[in-house]
Amino acid sequence: MKILTFDVEEWFHILDHESTREEEKWASFDYRLDKNIDKVLEILDRNNQKATFFCLGWLTKNHAHIVKRLDDLGYEIATHSNLHQLVYEQKIKEFEEDLVTSINRLQDVTGKKIRAYRAPGFSLREENRWVFDILLNNGIEIDCSIFPAKRDHGGFERFGAEKPVRIAANNGIIKEFPMSLDEVLMKKIVFAGGGYFRLLPYSVIRYFMQKTEYSMSYFHPHDFDDGRPILHDLPLRKKFKASVGLKGALCKLEKLIQDFEFIDLAEADRRVQWDQTEIIALPERRCCERIDRQAEQMRTKIV
């Protein structure tokens, strides 16, 4: 099972960087999403390929036509949060308000229920397991936020699964499609998305893809923008990650789609025999009463 997903955000949605942190600063950057989405959609159309698009709720303010276009073309829309902030820096109430805003905005554009969520930068850490209760409280059925290894922005090293599982939280069960990993020089990496996809030769990516039954990919429209601006105040490491492999990435993506059978998240959900999957218990008991109280306050405010 190989799942094709895209995180739809602008090139300047850079995590953990001061000059791009606040929404008020984003208006000063050039918008490049339209032409980058065009590139992705041309390849998907040419290869008759389905995919799931994790969209920021913020897009509906400036790029609502993109969300509407994706939906009109039959692609599954999921949420990637509203303002693309690191989860582990958010308080419970702050996270829930951002989530609810994203869900409402995307549902207003598509007229369809938002069922799935992915945290920005996979920034869900073990201490933020309360997130699953918030997701369930707000109708999210599927999560794709778990990165089961160490990483810069989060990482759930002790999660214990790199395949679809069920997570038991305080108030129910949520389906989890974690990231799939492989190892290079004793380091766990995601080879089907992001910087490593752009960096690694296609032969290496193909080798990793052939040897795994389950693969969760994640790409961004700006991964295929060879004219992408690079901010002068980025640290050297981030400049390298932002610029490496941009020129060849689009061809590499098309080769990947042609060489392997990919499905979207909705089809993957249908294929998984959930009653036979492992259940991982992640209750956050010390937060349970606070989450329930805040959820009730949110419902009262909405009513």
Side-chain angles (χ1 to χ4, degrees), residues 8-34 36 56 58-59 62-63 83-85 220-223 225 228-231 233-234 238 242:
V8 186
E9 59 199 50
E10 271 286 8
W11 67 272
F12 51 75
H13 286 126
I14 302 169
L15 291 165
D16 198 24
H17 187 66
E18 191 57 38
S19 70
T20 61
R21 188 185 301 270
E22 304 296 332
E23 181 183 8
E24 292 75 20
K25 298 177 180 179
W26 298 344
S28 64
F29 300 114
D30 291 335
Y31 292 153
R32 302 179 65 86
L33 187 56
D34 279 285
N36 291 329
L56 297 182
W58 171 85
L59 291 173
N62 300 290
H63 300 298
L83 294 178
H84 204 256
Q85 301 298 307
H220 310 87
H222 55 71
D223 284 326
D225 183 0
R228 174 186 177 177
I230 305 298
L231 297 176
D233 61 343
L234 280 178
K238 284 192 173 182

Side-chain angles (χ1 to χ4, degrees), residues 5-218:
T5 74
F6 295 86
D7 294 350
V8 186
E9 59 199 50
E10 271 286 8
W11 67 272
F12 51 75
H13 286 126
I14 302 169
L15 291 165
D16 198 24
H17 187 66
E18 191 57 38
S19 70
T20 61
R21 188 185 301 270
E22 304 296 332
E23 181 183 8
E24 292 75 20
K25 298 177 180 179
W26 298 344
S28 64
F29 300 114
D30 291 335
Y31 292 153
R32 302 179 65 86
L33 187 56
D34 279 285
K35 60 183 178 182
N36 291 329
I37 280 286
D38 284 346
K39 295 176 186 177
V40 170
L41 292 179
E42 284 174 13
I43 284 181
L44 296 183
D45 180 64
R46 188 157 59 238
N47 293 279
N48 193 28
Q49 177 64 60
K50 287 288 190 180
T52 296
F53 289 83
F54 287 87
C55 298
L56 297 182
W58 171 85
L59 291 173
T60 63
K61 295 173 63 176
N62 300 290
H63 300 298
H65 62 284
I66 289 179
V67 179
K68 183 72 165 58
R69 181 184 177 192
L70 292 171
D71 180 62
D72 287 346
L73 289 171
Y75 294 109
E76 180 184 19
I77 304 296
T79 177
H80 191 38
S81 81
N82 185 46
L83 294 178
H84 204 256
Q85 301 298 307
L86 292 166
V87 171
Y88 57 76
E89 291 184 348
Q90 293 179 308
K91 293 181 170 55
I92 293 174
K93 182 179 180 182
E94 184 182 7
F95 173 83
E96 182 158 34
E97 287 177 346
D98 181 88
L99 174 70
V100 170
T101 300
S102 73
I103 291 172
N104 289 342
R105 285 180 171 179
L106 294 172
Q107 288 182 167
D108 285 347
V109 172
T110 66
K112 297 171 184 173
K113 175 178 167 53
I114 298 298
R115 300 176 56 237
Y117 166 81
R118 174 177 286 152
F122 304 99
S123 55
L124 177 55
R125 294 175 172 172
E126 188 170 353
E127 60 266 29
N128 309 122
R129 62 184 71 183
W130 48 262
V131 161
F132 299 112
D133 289 298
I134 301 295
L135 295 176
L136 287 164
N137 281 349
N138 290 282
I140 296 296
E141 303 167 17
I142 299 172
D143 178 66
C144 299
S145 303
I146 293 290
F147 189 102
K150 287 183 179 179
R151 75 185 316 267
D152 289 345
H153 298 127
F156 205 125
E157 191 175 7
R158 296 192 297 174
F159 185 69
E162 296 178 24
K163 61 184 178 181
V165 294
R166 289 168 290 169
I167 292 175
N170 288 298
N171 59 355
I173 301 287
I174 192 167
K175 301 169 183 176
E176 178 66 41
F177 285 91
M179 290 307 298
S180 50
L181 308 173
D182 215 300
E183 197 170 289
V184 172
L185 300 176
M186 300 180 67
K187 178 180 174 59
K188 292 277 191 178
I189 67 160
V190 173
F191 56 88
Y196 279 110
F197 175 79
R198 290 186 275 113
L199 173 65
L200 294 172
Y202 181 71
S203 59
V204 174
I205 294 168
R206 192 171 188 274
Y207 167 74
F208 285 150
M209 194 69 72
Q210 285 175 325
K211 64 186 275 199
T212 180
E213 285 187 24
Y214 167 74
S215 176
M216 170 62 79
S217 70
Y218 81 105

